[in-house]
Amino acid sequence: RDMKLLDDVVAYINDHFNRNISIDYLCRIACMGRTKFKTLFKQRYSCTVTEFIQQRRLSHAESLLTTTDFSIQQIATAVGYTNSSRFAALFKQSTGLFPTDYKKMAQRE
């Protein structure tokens, strides 16, 4: 039953990753206390819920960088970041490239 509830949380994250998602709200979806939720989530997905949301956002950003002409600011906003420099730093940490470099590389291929 707990795993089914975690699946519901992941479905919610996948549908709303571009919004501000609070851990407390996810705990309510999962009908769990904060500690139990965070522990079970990490056991199931091998990362924290914050890392999971970040990975989901950055994955979508990669897609937008390769398939649209959106600016970096527009992409940052579209995936849920209000600060484009924070987005760029997280993107580089994840992919090894800044979003502008990633976009240039994708356009060359």
Side-chain angles (χ1 to χ4, degrees), residues 2-100:
D2 286 344
M3 294 307 148
K4 166 68 177 99
L5 292 169
L6 287 179
D7 289 343
D8 293 344
V9 167
V10 167
Y12 179 85
I13 291 169
N14 284 332
D15 290 343
H16 300 91
F17 65 88
N18 60 339
R19 299 196 186 121
N20 189 11
I21 301 173
S22 78
I23 302 289
D24 291 334
Y25 188 75
L26 297 178
C27 291
R28 275 183 267 158
I29 292 172
C31 305
M32 294 176 202
R34 200 175 175 96
T35 303
K36 180 180 181 182
F37 170 72
K38 288 170 118 178
T39 302
L40 288 179
F41 194 96
K42 187 153 189 164
Q43 283 174 358
R44 175 99 189 253
Y45 298 102
S46 305
C47 62
T48 67
V49 68
T50 304
E51 291 165 341
F52 187 92
I53 293 167
Q54 183 176 308
Q55 288 166 3
R56 179 67 183 86
R57 287 175 169 177
L58 295 176
S59 170
H60 190 65
E62 286 182 44
S63 171
L64 291 174
L65 285 163
T66 57
T67 61
T68 71
D69 290 329
F70 293 168
S71 70
I72 303 306
Q73 176 63 58
Q74 287 172 313
I75 291 172
T77 302
V79 299
Y81 292 101
T82 53
N83 181 324
S84 60
S85 58
R86 170 98 175 116
F87 161 69
L90 290 169
F91 192 89
K92 183 172 193 312
Q93 188 179 358
S94 172
T95 66
L97 295 169
F98 282 110
T100 47

